[in-house]
Amino acid sequence: MSRGTDVQPAPPAVPFAMVRGATRRFATLDGHVDALVDVDLDVAAGELTVVAGPSGSGKSTLLSILAGLERGDRGEVTVGSLRVDRLSTRARRTWRRTEIGVVMPRPSDNLTVVHDAAGNLVWSDVLRGARPPMSVDDARRRLDELGLGEVGARSIPQLSGGEQMRLAFACAAVGDPPLVVADEPTASLDSESGHVLLTVIRRLTASGTAVVVASHDPELVDAADVVVRLDDGRRIS
Ligand code: ADP
Ligand code: MG
């Protein structure tokens, strides 16, 4: 029998990365602090997810757990089909280096002064394990694509904080990882640099990369596809 005009709603898209019930308590001198309490997070491919909330609300802890930098006391972390929370510390480190991109808050912490800007991209590919790694010409082309063509031949100390952070995202995106995680990338930048950084982030999401950023920068929050708000270790929206 025909079902006539019955239309079934499309099933919700399966998120690319999922955190379920993430819980983390830190011991302190006078007791403990609950940095995260039973927090869930869904991350979709090609979207910018911003984890927002005041200082101390648990943003960095959540991102560290998602990126496998730390392990929660409880909770599941799935990225692609991998249960990251079940990996050893060593396996998580290898996974992070080869499979995803991580951007630390201080621009210079993401880069090496041993190489110029294009060389940092090549070096990122070496760390990924690419044999052979991309050529300097390929690195220059990649910088062009990300609107960073002008910085290719410069040394790292010759770059502004904003340029360093854009380069850090370019390095994190080497090898086209499906997930890039960045903690407070605009914290040390002026608003114009933050604005330009957003265009680099947008090029990554347009290529299908899931970008997860911890930030209370209103411009990043406004630009997000999804905003997850934390307060006192709890997800409030
Ligand atoms: P945010 O990134 O939103 O500022 P964090 O995730 O860094 O928040 O921290 C959440 C809470 O956990 C804060 O109260 C912070 O002081 C505490 N915390 C984070 N890391 C540690 C640690 N290694 N030892 C003790 N307390 C910590
Ligand atoms: Mg933080």
Side-chain angles (χ1 to χ4, degrees):
M1 194 176 77
S2 162
R3 302 284 309 214
T5 55
D6 277 3
V7 176
Q8 299 296 315
V14 178
F16 173 70
M18 279 188 300
V19 176
R20 288 287 174 271
T23 299
R24 182 74 165 103
R25 172 176 283 187
F26 290 107
T28 59
L29 284 177
D30 51 358
H32 63 257
V33 49
D34 287 314
L36 280 184
V37 183
D38 206 18
V39 170
D40 293 347
L41 174 70
D42 284 350
V43 174
E47 289 193 347
L48 170 60
T49 301
V50 172
V51 178
S55 181
S57 59
K59 303 183 297 296
S60 295
T61 305
L62 179 58
L63 259 63
S64 294
I65 288 174
L66 173 64
L69 287 157
E70 280 182 46
R71 195 180 246 152
D73 301 324
R74 275 191 289 118
E76 298 177 4
V77 181
T78 308
V79 177
S81 56
L82 187 71
R83 274 290 296 275
V84 175
D85 58 289
R86 288 186 177 152
L87 300 178
S88 66
T89 304
R90 187 189 170 129
R92 276 186 281 130
R93 193 184 308 129
T94 304
W95 169 74
R96 240 182 1 256
R97 178 169 59 77
T98 58
E99 305 294 331
I100 68 166
V102 178
V103 178
M104 307 305 275
R106 260 179 30 166
S108 56
D109 285 349
N110 298 294
L111 304 167
T112 169
V113 294
V114 172
H115 300 292
D116 65 12
N120 265 263
L121 237 55
V122 175
W123 179 240
S124 299
D125 211 26
V126 170
L127 292 177
R128 289 259 186 244
R131 301 284 184 274
M134 71 166 76
S135 66
V136 173
D137 282 348
D138 286 344
R140 293 247 166 86
R141 253 192 301 281
R142 180 93 192 201
L143 290 174
D144 272 338
E145 282 164 18
L146 288 168
L148 280 162
E150 77 280 13
V151 307
R154 284 200 246 153
S155 72
I156 302 308
Q158 285 177 318
L159 303 179
S160 69
E163 288 166 337
Q164 288 183 2
M165 197 43 109
R166 283 153 65 206
L167 181 62
F169 270 84
C171 289
V174 162
D176 298 319
L179 175 67
V180 171
V181 176
D183 194 3
E184 305 263 10
T186 61
S188 66
L189 309 185
D190 56 58
S191 61
E192 175 58 27
S193 302
H195 183 75
V196 181
L197 181 64
L198 196 51
T199 64
V200 172
I201 292 176
R202 273 299 171 213
R203 284 185 214 207
L204 295 185
T205 56
S207 71
T209 304
V211 180
V212 183
V213 170
S215 183
H216 41 233
D217 180 335
E219 192 177 359
L220 273 174
V221 172
D222 274 355
D225 299 301
V226 176
V227 181
V228 169
R229 288 182 196 279
L230 298 180
D231 193 21
D232 226 359
R234 288 169 173 82
R235 183 159 169 184
I236 56 169
S237 72

